[in-house]
Amino acid sequence: MEDKKSHHQNSLKIDGGTFSHVQIGQAGSDLTQNQQYIPEAGEKQLTVNEVVELITQIESLFRTSDLPEQQKKQALKHLDYANDAVQEKEPDKNTAVISLQKATKVLKEANETANAGQGLWQKLEPISKQLAPWLGIAVKNILFAS
């Protein structure tokens, strides 16, 4: 009997399916895995002005939300930072992503503690779906940051 362990220890075979743009990771307890969005051929790429407009829409949603005032201010601060990052000469997409994640984390925490902002999630999702390709990430990386 031959020892296949050395050659097949990290391989995975799945019959009957085709998977594209899939990442699989295996590691110890401190694994952080980011999923990157890869735009389809022919998909329209947003301009910086369109990205700014989408972030402005998110800001408006937060302003008119039922979040407590302190959490609104905190989220708006993060969104303002994201807006600045995308308007730089060389847009800083990484900073924009982190700032957007921080804003949605404020919403998540407000929802857990005060049950506030529940309707905001549904309004954020379509905007996030438009932003994600430009930022080069998956939508869940904006909306469900931990």
Side-chain angles (χ1 to χ4, degrees), residues 84-102:
D84 288 346
V86 300
Q87 293 183 68
E88 292 178 6
K89 185 177 179 181
E90 288 292 322
D92 186 349
K93 294 179 181 184
N94 190 47
T95 297
V97 168
I98 291 168
S99 297
L100 288 165
Q101 289 173 332
K102 287 180 178 181

Side-chain angles (χ1 to χ4, degrees), residues 120-130 139 143-144:
L120 195 50
W121 287 113
Q122 288 77 29
K123 295 173 185 173
L124 283 173
E125 188 172 7
I127 299 170
S128 298
K129 283 182 179 179
Q130 293 176 64
V139 174
L143 292 178
F144 303 109

Side-chain angles (χ1 to χ4, degrees), residues 105-125:
K105 186 175 181 181
V106 169
L107 174 59
K108 180 181 176 185
E109 290 169 356
N111 193 38
E112 289 171 357
T113 59
N115 225 14
Q118 288 192 333
L120 195 50
W121 287 113
Q122 288 77 29
K123 295 173 185 173
L124 283 173
E125 188 172 7

Side-chain angles (χ1 to χ4, degrees), residues 55-73:
I55 294 172
T56 302
Q57 287 178 31
I58 294 172
E59 288 173 340
S60 178
L61 290 173
F62 272 91
R63 274 192 192 90
T64 59
S65 73
D66 61 349
L67 291 175
E69 202 56 39
Q70 181 60 33
Q71 286 155 321
K72 274 187 197 181
K73 286 181 183 177

